[in-house]
DNA sequence: AATGAATGAGGCTTCATTCAT
DNA sequence: AATGAATGAAGCCTCATTCAT
């Protein structure tokens, strides 16, 4: 486990004023990261861009790492929230709603959700994944929740599935969806213009999962 | 400049020594990177670890980035070489050799090759992918050759394939193979112990590619 | 401003609270100083430890130096008070009380008083003497009073003394007593367990002072 | 034991040039310390005053503390060297040379040596003792050697001594000599102008030590 | 009287790189 | 070709102090 403490926010803003300060700092961080890249990100520059003193920055973030971590966490949360919105009706408890939907239909929804999630702030997403050292910590941020959702879904349909090893299947599907959408977003954004790419991905997953 | 007379088969001392120096530097870089991580990698430390003066380091590498790039390139070359060894008989020209092999059989060979390639120096591979900023440059290193190989193979079998858009298919397959093997290597090394994971991957790709 | 009528003997709430605040601040300072050392002493940390806002701290102490000075003064006063308690009957005015006591007897009392004074808060005493920069100011705190007491005593007995230069003698005796007791307290606390060390000190001073 | 490593010089200068650099740095440190005091001592200012880049400073001293420590050590060594020069003929092995000298004569030599040692660089000595935090480390520098010398001498003459507990006597004498001379040097430099102060000190020690 | 958010000068230190020897 | 001393811009961060609320 990495030295979490140092990456943890320093104090909870109690007054309204400080909430604005924190937001200004995070906005400035995002701006510099997306416009100038990680190696232009200095705490002094963030403070300046935020219109805040460097001291204020350090009142809320113990160090530079914490700043980036907070941003990554916030970004991951936004992605997950949007994904969840797109996945409504897919949650385990509501069997009736999805009982009559085919696996490819559900996969379609999952892929749509993943695409939507990756569209939150692609520029930031890219920088976060390409330029930040020590991303081990952040890697996990979005991963876990997706896996849980997927595991629940696959477990429910296990009798209709070709693969037998649930954990392995979860890993394969989650990584495939994420890698392809992330890769397309970053390296071939034009692929996402038409629905063809998504169709192809859904086709592959369906062909793999559905028992013939 | 005339070539050395055949009576002096030994290489020029200069070149020999230089070669040793460069190798020492790259070894030291690898060592620090894998044992201590990218943020411990300083040019002075590399020189010290290599038993070479900092001045000598700069005689062979114009800057720190070049050092890491050379290492990444070297690593990528090793991966590709190993992959090629595993892919012998699959090259386009030798149609006869593979004509009678099924697509799943060929996919199996490709996956094996990718696994072998990723086993070259996993620790270094991980660091190179997780800790180096500006990985855009390196990303391309291994990618291109794999894609070419794959494109040639898929083109040859296009009549047996389900997907119609070749470029898209190449992208999907290449990314899937790489993401899953890389991800397993890094995050779930135990998955590679048994053949089950590879089987699953081959199953998915086959289900996707083969026309029913 | 008129004094409070006798019908309201209780102190003004304001003063009471202020007093408590000041005490909390000084306690916190002592605590941090003895437990963590001078370089961990920051005004913000003192305020936090005291359960008081940083603003309040600055209401009572104009700056950090004043904080430490107040503490040092307080400590010095406590030392002097305790010393005076042990020196009762030695004061100049009461000649009759001590007239029939030998010089070694009086020296014994002085040494006892000094030891008692140094036992007030040895941890704090040590920190105050070892870690505070600019101790010139504080140095004088305990010194002056001791010297006065000693000068009066020695002047009274000047006819029984070997040394002729009073000022010099005062200096020699005061420094010797203080240095040895302070040094023992700090570096050889075990020496103070038995009475041997004190005996030795008294023996030296007696041998020096008493005319043979 | 305090974190020695960090206070230890960083590398041995191998070339002549670097020796000069180190000396310039130490000179500058001394100068700032004596002329401006410890709280004006910043590493950047030292470098500037030394006519050296800040980088060079950090090539030889890992941190600010090490800088001061090196200076203190150097100063202590100079003091001890000078003291030893004044104590020639007093060393244990050369019994014949001192056999016929009285204890007061030897004490006189010791006191002279201590005075000479303290005269090395009084301004620096003062600052080192008054303004440097964490002086625990430095305290010991001069102390140990003096104690050894004294112990050897007193052991040799034990049959002529009044006090019986050798260790205690060593402590008492060493501290007394040091405290008085140091105190005089710092607070009453005029006392050292005439020989009276030294006489008095010798008188006290003689009266204490010599068996009657 | 109290609060605590905000300030910002300035300290320490690193490290890629140069260049005289 | 090699050495390693020297450079210095620039980064991170602390902390005494102020002041609006």
């Amino acid at each position: 486990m990495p030295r979490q403490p140092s990456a943890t926010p320093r104090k909870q803003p109690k007054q309204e004023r400080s909430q604005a300060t924190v937001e200004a700092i995070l906005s400035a961080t995002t701006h510099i990261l997306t416009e100038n890249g990680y190696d232009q990100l200095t705490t002094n520059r963030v403070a300046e861009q935020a219109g805040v003193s460097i001291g204020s920055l350090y009142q809320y973030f113990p160090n530079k790492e914490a700043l980036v971590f907070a941003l990554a966490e916030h970004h991951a949360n936004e992605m997950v929230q949007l994904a969840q919105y797109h996945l409504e009706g897919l949650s385990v408890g509501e069997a009736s709603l999805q009982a009559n939907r085919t696996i490819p239909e559900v996969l379609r929804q999952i892929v749509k959700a993943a695409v939507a999630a990756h569209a939150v702030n692609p520029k930031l997403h890219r920088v976060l994944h390409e330029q930040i050292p020590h991303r081990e910590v952040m890697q996990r941020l979005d991963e876990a929740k997706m896996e849980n959702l997927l595991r629940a879904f696959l477990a429910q349909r296990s009798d209709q599935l070709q693969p037998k090893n649930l954990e392995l299947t979860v890993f394969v599907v989650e990584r495939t969806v994420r890698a392809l959408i992330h890769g397309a977003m970053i390296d071939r954004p034009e692929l996402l213009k038409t629905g063809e790419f998504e169709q192809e991905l859904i086709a592959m997953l369906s062909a793999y999962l559905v028992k013939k």
Side-chain angles (χ1 to χ4, degrees), chain A residues 130-147:
Chain A
E130 284 194 342
Q131 296 184 25
I132 312 292
H134 303 303
R135 279 152 309 128
E136 314 91 16
V137 190
M138 284 169 291
Q139 290 296 27
R140 306 291 169 276
L141 289 177
D142 35 358
E143 187 178 330
K145 295 192 179 174
M146 283 292 182
E147 284 203 340

Side-chain angles (χ1 to χ4, degrees), chain A residues 96-108:
Chain A
S96 58
L97 282 176
Q98 52 169 318
N100 37 9
R101 302 171 68 195
T102 66
I103 288 183
E105 277 171 359
V106 175
L107 286 173
R108 183 158 197 276

